Amino acid sequence: MAEGVAAAAGAGADANTAGNPTEVAMAYLQDEKTDADMASLNLGELDITTDEFILDEVDIHIQANLEDDLVKEALKTGVDLRQYSKQVEAELQRIEQASIKDYIKESQNIALLHNQITACDSILERMEGMLSGFQSDLSSISSEIQTLQQQSVSMNVRLKNRQAVRSHLSQLVDELVVPGAMISTILESPVTEQEFLEQLHELNTKINFAKELSFRETLACADIQDIVDRLKLKAVSKIREFILQKIYSFRKPMTNYQIPQNTLLKYRFFYQFLLANERTVAKEIRDEYVDTMSKIYYSYFKSYSGRLLKVQYEEVADKDDLMGVEDTAKKGFFSKPSLKSRNTIFTLGQRGAILSPAELEGPILVPHTAQRGDSRYPYETLFRSQHYALLDNGCREYLFLSDFFMVAGNSALDLFNSIMGKTLSMFLKSMSTYVSDCYDSIAIFLCIHIILRFRAITAKRNIPALDKYWEAVLELLWPRFELILEMNISSIRNTDPQKLGVLDTRPHYITRRYAEFSSAIVSINQTFPNERTNALLGQLQIEVENFVLKMAAEFPSRRDQLIFLINNYDMMLSVLMERAADDSKEVEGFQQLLLARTQEFIEEILSPPFGGLIAFVKEAEALMEKGQLERLKNDEARITQLVRGFSSTWKQSVEAMSQDVMRSFTNFKNGTSIIQGALTQLIQYYHGFHKVLNQPTFRSLAVRSELINLHHLMVEVKKHKPNF
């Protein structure tokens, strides 16, 4: 209906009747009637009798109408369609009239609505004009925004470029500008103040920067070059004066040079500054330090070494103090007196304690204190003190040179040798003089191992400065030690047993010397084994074994020979086992020799009282193995004598044998083990005797009843076992 109203309003406006509401309504109704007529016309044109009408389509329309709810209701109730059609038509007319009345009634409102729509059209037209203007304005604004964006990007690039230039320029200006505080500090402040050191670092930076700019031919560099050069000269002058003053202070008597060295290390940058900016002054300072410290070390160690020799033992070994020389050998009238006891030359005693960590790195000897107390020391103690002082000072000096003078590798070694070279040469010369006339092999060997341990200490500290010196000392000591050892070997080889005085079965003093010496060398050599030393000790052992056999051959009886051999082997073995390892070659060798000679001696002492019994048992056992025991069947008288003789005399024989053994051997423990071995061997022989007589060949012998019970014999034998 609203659409109809709007259409009527539009038609009325076109007919210039917009001002009369009645006319507007009538026009609308006329339009409605026209529409009805057009509908009737369309129905009238529908000719269902024409051949062109399609029956199928008619059926479809009929079927669709039959589906209508109203048609269904009418057909169901049986309404007369003609009557119903008229009724509907009347109803439509009634509604049409009512609608016309409603339109007329609302004509005022429709006219008002028409006017409002017209006003809206004019307003919308103006708005369309405004929006078109806005659209054109927005197009121009968008182009302006793009222009502004391009300008912003360009300005941002320029800003970044200017900032980058500004940072470089500001840094350049900061590096070039020499502040007044730096000038006043370098010129006026003492070099020991922290502020001077800080400003010196800054000055060094500016000098390096100025050099860099001069290579680039920067013009601004010329503005500061003069003042930087003046400050550099002033700083170099003050630093040179300060360092030389410290170096000269080393020369004062009784000065602890480590204190000024520590002070110089605090200002190590001074030398670095000189090295970078004034190499001539740096070389002057380095040369002055080398010259001063070289003289100080040489003077100190020369004086110290001379004072140490004053507290050495007055009695020292000479070329006649060898292992094979007789104790009572006489010397010429003008010869110097011999050592009170040559045995002390070959005995380690407490001398080996020098290699313990506590003494090896202990405080050095103070000579005047030792002289005041009348103390005397062996050479190796003085050697240790002298070289530990060298090690301590050498390590400290090398570290100082590396740190202060900024050197490393071969440069550091060369600088160290230029300072310590004279001192080390003096050491080697004095040592060569002493060693060439030294015959104390233990002292030389201890010195060798002191050097080996000191070399390990410097290697642990990563200080290579003294490596060549250690090698030079060892090249002096090793040949001398080997020479002395070969002299002792020769002295034993050339010893004439007939010139060594009265024969005695007790341990010989030469074998005791060897035992003490060999155990000393073996115990020292365990930490740093040396094959050459082991080979020489092997030669010495062979010569000593030959010497013992030559001495034993001087005794007329085999029994005395065996006693002499056992006593000497036992003594050497006991001494060696106190110091050397149980599995050492020397210990194993003498153990085998002692065991063989002991077994032979046991047979020797059992032979006089029990020789017949032993011979019979051995003979019978040999025949038993061959199955020929019947050959002894006729020896009943011999067997009877053996059984009764053993039963009546074995106790007295064992007692006498025990006493004889204990008198013959100086080591009671060794004597006891020999007696135990002899008694054990005796029981074994008697057990073999029992075993032989139990054979069928001898079972009929009446004397078998007189055999001593083996268990009873063992109990009785234990009573004769000596206890110490």
Side-chain angles (χ1 to χ4, degrees):
M1 181 176 179
E3 292 177 355
V5 172
D14 293 338
N16 295 320
T17 57
N20 191 343
T22 303
E23 292 179 355
V24 172
M26 290 303 292
Y28 177 76
L29 291 175
Q30 186 65 37
D31 290 338
E32 287 290 322
K33 184 177 181 180
T34 303
D35 292 338
D37 291 340
M38 289 298 294
S40 298
L41 179 60
N42 292 334
L43 289 173
E45 293 175 353
L46 182 61
D47 185 5
I48 62 176
T49 62
T50 62
D51 295 335
E52 297 176 356
F53 186 78
I54 300 172
L55 294 178
D56 291 338
E57 292 182 1
V58 173
D59 290 338
I60 293 171
H61 286 292
I62 292 173
Q63 187 64 30
N65 290 329
L66 288 176
E67 294 294 329
D68 186 81
D69 291 338
L70 292 176
V71 175
K72 284 182 179 181
E73 185 66 26
L75 292 174
K76 188 182 292 185
T77 55
V79 177
D80 186 358
L81 294 178
R82 293 183 183 90
Q83 185 64 33
Y84 186 70
S85 174
K86 290 179 181 180
Q87 185 180 350
V88 170
E89 185 177 354
E91 184 68 23
L92 286 174
Q93 289 178 356
R94 185 182 62 78
I95 291 172
E96 180 181 357
Q97 293 299 323
S99 297
I100 292 171
K101 291 179 181 179
D102 287 337
Y103 281 125
I104 293 172
K105 183 179 178 181
E106 294 294 331
S107 60
Q108 293 293 333
N109 293 332
I110 292 171
L112 180 61
L113 179 61
H114 176 73
N115 294 331
Q116 290 176 349
I117 290 172
T118 303
C120 286
D121 285 342
S122 62
I123 292 171
L124 289 173
E125 185 177 359
R126 289 197 303 274
M127 289 182 66
E128 182 180 4
M130 291 173 62
L131 291 174
S132 297
F134 288 157
Q135 184 177 6
S136 63
D137 292 341
L138 287 174
S139 298
S140 62
I141 289 173
S142 176
S143 62
E144 290 178 0
I145 289 174
Q146 290 179 353
T147 303
L148 290 174
Q149 185 177 8
Q150 293 174 355
Q151 292 176 353
S152 175
V153 171
S154 176
M155 292 174 67
N156 189 30
V157 171
R158 290 199 300 272
L159 176 62
K160 288 182 178 179
N161 292 337
R162 290 178 181 179
Q163 287 177 341
V165 171
R166 179 183 177 184
S167 64
H168 286 296
L169 285 176
S170 62
Q171 182 179 358
L172 177 65
V173 172
D174 290 340
E175 294 290 348
L176 286 174
V177 170
V178 180
M182 177 186 290
I183 297 173
S184 60
T185 301
I186 296 297
L187 294 177
E188 300 172 3
S189 297
V191 296
T192 55
E193 290 189 3
Q194 182 65 26
E195 187 180 1
F196 180 87
L197 187 60
E198 293 173 357
Q199 294 298 335
L200 189 66
H201 277 280
E202 291 294 327
L203 177 60
N204 190 55
T205 302
K206 293 187 182 299
I207 292 172
N208 293 333
F209 190 69
K211 290 179 181 178
E212 182 181 349
L213 292 180
S214 65
F215 287 126
R216 298 179 186 175
E217 298 181 354
T218 305
L219 296 177
C221 179
D223 296 339
I224 64 162
Q225 192 65 50
D226 182 58
I227 189 169
V228 167
D229 289 342
R230 291 183 181 182
L231 288 176
K232 180 181 74 174
L233 291 175
K234 183 62 177 179
V236 166
S237 175
K238 294 176 72 173
I239 291 171
R240 174 183 176 277
E241 182 181 355
F242 170 75
I243 296 179
L244 288 178
Q245 182 182 0
K246 290 296 178 185
I247 293 174
Y248 293 152
S249 68
F250 295 168
R251 302 176 181 178
K252 296 179 181 178
M254 306 302 290
T255 298
N256 184 358
Y257 60 87
Q258 296 173 13
I259 295 176
Q261 271 187 342
N262 292 335
T263 303
L264 288 176
L265 285 177
K266 287 173 59 179
Y267 302 103
R268 61 175 63 84
F269 181 72
F270 288 173
Y271 185 79
Q272 181 180 346
F273 181 83
L274 294 178
L275 198 62
N277 299 289
E278 198 63 50
R279 287 186 173 271
T280 305
V281 177
K283 185 178 184 303
E284 177 191 3
I285 288 175
R286 177 169 163 169
D287 293 344
E288 193 66 34
Y289 178 84
V290 168
D291 181 64
T292 299
M293 293 307 297
S294 176
K295 292 177 180 177
I296 288 174
Y297 281 125
Y298 180 79
S299 174
Y300 166 73
F301 279 108
K302 183 178 181 180
S303 173
Y304 183 67
S305 300
R307 291 175 182 174
L308 280 179
L309 292 176
K310 294 180 181 179
V311 294
Q312 184 182 0
Y313 281 132
E314 295 179 358
E315 291 186 351
V316 295
D318 59 21
K319 62 182 179 180
D320 295 321
D321 293 314
L322 299 174
M323 200 175 294
V325 176
E326 184 185 357
D327 259 344
T328 57
K330 296 181 180 179
K331 295 190 175 182
F333 181 77
F334 294 102
S335 62
K336 65 179 180 180
S338 175
L339 291 178
K340 294 179 180 178
S341 174
R342 281 194 180 87
N343 289 335
T344 58
I345 304 172
F346 308 104
T347 303
L348 184 62
Q350 297 300 317
R351 297 170 72 180
I354 196 73
L355 298 178
S356 65
E359 290 201 26
L360 189 69
E361 300 183 53
I364 63 174
L365 288 177
V366 181
H368 64 270
T369 304
Q371 283 181 303
R372 194 181 305 129
D374 291 331
S375 299
R376 291 292 182 268
Y377 301 94
Y379 178 73
E380 65 271 10
T381 301
L382 310 181
F383 182 88
R384 195 283 315 176
S385 183
Q386 181 186 44
H387 282 81
Y388 187 68
L390 175 65
L391 181 148
D392 191 39
N393 285 276
C395 289
R396 184 182 295 107
E397 186 64 31
Y398 181 81
L399 293 174
F400 174 82
L401 295 176
S402 300
D403 196 358
F404 185 78
F405 291 104
M406 297 178 297
V407 289
N410 291 331
S411 299
L413 293 177
D414 292 342
L415 185 58
F416 178 84
N417 289 329
S418 64
I419 293 175
M420 300 295 294
K422 191 176 179 182
T423 301
L424 298 180
S425 297
M426 181 264 292
F427 269 22
L428 291 173
K429 184 177 180 181
S430 62
M431 198 180 311
S432 177
T433 302
Y434 178 84
V435 167
S436 63
D437 196 37
C438 177
Y439 295 89
D440 188 351
S441 53
I442 290 182
I444 297 293
F445 200 59
L446 286 171
C447 291
I448 289 173
H449 279 265
I450 287 170
I451 293 298
L452 292 175
R453 284 161 173 77
F454 282 167
R455 184 172 66 178
I457 291 172
T458 54
K460 186 178 180 181
R461 296 180 183 179
N462 197 23
I463 305 293
L466 293 170
D467 287 353
K468 290 186 178 179
Y469 174 75
W470 300 140
E471 294 299 328
V473 174
L474 292 176
E475 288 176 2
L476 276 176
L477 296 177
W478 273 119
R480 187 63 187 179
F481 172 73
E482 293 173 0
L483 175 63
I484 298 172
L485 205 51
E486 290 170 353
M487 291 173 66
N488 280 286
I489 292 172
S490 298
S491 71
I492 294 177
R493 184 187 302 121
N494 299 327
T495 298
D496 186 357
Q498 295 181 354
K499 295 181 180 180
L500 295 180
V502 182
L503 292 175
D504 192 343
T505 57
R506 290 175 297 180
H508 200 275
Y509 58 81
I510 290 181
T511 58
R512 177 169 290 281
R513 291 174 187 172
Y514 162 76
E516 294 286 353
F517 177 78
S518 181
S519 64
I521 299 301
V522 169
S523 63
I524 295 170
N525 200 44
Q526 287 175 350
T527 307
F528 294 92
N530 179 267
E531 292 302 322
R532 175 62 177 159
T533 303
N534 292 333
L536 290 171
L537 285 178
Q539 294 180 22
L540 182 61
Q541 181 179 350
I542 292 172
E543 295 300 332
V544 170
E545 290 175 4
N546 293 335
F547 165 76
V548 173
L549 292 175
K550 287 193 295 183
M551 285 297 300
E554 296 294 316
F555 290 91
S557 68
R558 182 58 181 167
R559 180 179 176 280
D560 288 342
Q561 291 177 2
L562 291 173
I563 292 173
F564 177 80
L565 291 173
I566 291 172
N567 275 330
N568 281 275
Y569 290 154
D570 176 65
M571 181 273 298
M572 290 188 285
L573 186 61
S574 300
V575 174
L576 282 169
M577 291 182 68
E578 287 181 7
R579 296 186 180 274
D582 292 344
D583 59 349
S584 66
K585 184 172 65 176
E586 292 80 6
V587 171
E588 290 179 354
F590 285 116
Q591 281 178 337
Q592 294 174 2
L593 291 172
L594 178 62
L595 182 62
R597 298 289 79 79
T598 300
Q599 196 62 39
E600 185 181 352
F601 180 75
I602 288 173
E603 296 291 336
E604 186 73 21
I605 61 175
L606 287 176
S607 181
F610 308 109
L613 178 68
I614 294 171
F616 176 80
V617 170
K618 290 181 177 179
E619 182 182 358
E621 287 178 346
L623 291 173
M624 283 172 62
E625 290 180 2
K626 298 177 182 179
Q628 301 174 359
L629 193 59
E630 294 292 333
R631 294 173 58 181
L632 296 177
K633 188 175 182 180
N634 297 324
D635 288 349
E636 182 178 351
R638 179 185 175 189
I639 294 171
T640 302
Q641 182 184 359
L642 290 174
V643 172
R644 291 174 178 173
F646 183 86
S647 300
S648 61
T649 62
W650 76 269
K651 289 185 179 180
Q652 295 85 349
S653 299
V654 168
E655 184 67 30
M657 182 178 64
S658 298
Q659 293 177 1
D660 183 41
V661 168
M662 298 310 296
R663 286 194 301 268
S664 299
F665 297 99
T666 55
N667 184 351
F668 286 163
K669 185 177 179 181
N670 184 41
T672 301
S673 66
I674 291 174
I675 293 172
Q676 288 177 350
L679 295 177
T680 301
Q681 190 67 30
L682 176 62
I683 291 172
Q684 289 178 354
Y685 280 132
Y686 200 69
H687 180 263
F689 190 54
H690 267 263
K691 191 175 180 182
V692 171
L693 295 184
N694 283 333
Q695 297 299 314
T697 306
F698 303 111
R699 282 181 184 174
S700 61
L701 295 178
V703 77
R704 288 180 67 249
S705 61
E706 298 180 25
L707 286 171
I708 300 174
N709 181 273
L710 197 61
H711 179 70
H712 176 71
L713 179 64
M714 292 174 64
V715 173
E716 290 296 324
V717 164
K718 285 184 179 179
K719 295 179 181 179
H720 291 81
K721 177 183 175 182
N723 295 310
F724 295 99

